[in-house]
Amino acid sequence: RLIVLPEGETPTIATVTDLERLKDQAFFNNAQQGDRVLIYTTAKKAILYRPSTNKIVEVAPLNIGATEEEIQP
């Protein structure tokens, strides 16, 4: 209900658990513990969502050339 999600694709979902590891990535500048990252590889989108406030924190294009360690917390 907060954003139109890509259709026909199930996202990879990760939970932010270690902010220290993510401090050098601009996408995670406003991240908090427990935020979720929805990764849509076909649509090339990454969405940072905060369940505690039901808000989208960040949306960014996904760099497919990046490794999973660079994308996921």
Side-chain angles (χ1 to χ4, degrees):
R1 296 191 291 194
L2 302 172
I3 190 172
V4 176
L5 297 173
E7 293 185 23
E9 181 177 4
T10 301
T12 299
I13 300 174
T15 302
V16 175
T17 58
D18 186 354
L19 291 171
E20 185 64 26
R21 285 182 53 197
L22 305 171
K23 68 180 181 181
D24 295 331
Q25 298 181 47
F27 179 77
F28 294 102
N29 281 348
N30 296 311
Q32 295 179 358
Q33 287 294 102
D35 285 355
R36 302 286 168 89
V37 182
L38 288 78
I39 301 169
Y40 291 89
T41 54
T42 302
K44 298 180 182 167
K45 286 186 180 184
I47 300 168
L48 183 62
Y49 169 71
R50 183 162 300 140
S52 63
T53 60
N54 193 35
K55 295 199 184 244
I56 295 170
V57 178
E58 186 70 68
V59 177
L62 183 63
N63 179 356
I64 298 301
T67 66
E68 281 194 22
E69 279 185 8
E70 294 173 22
I71 299 168
Q72 297 180 10

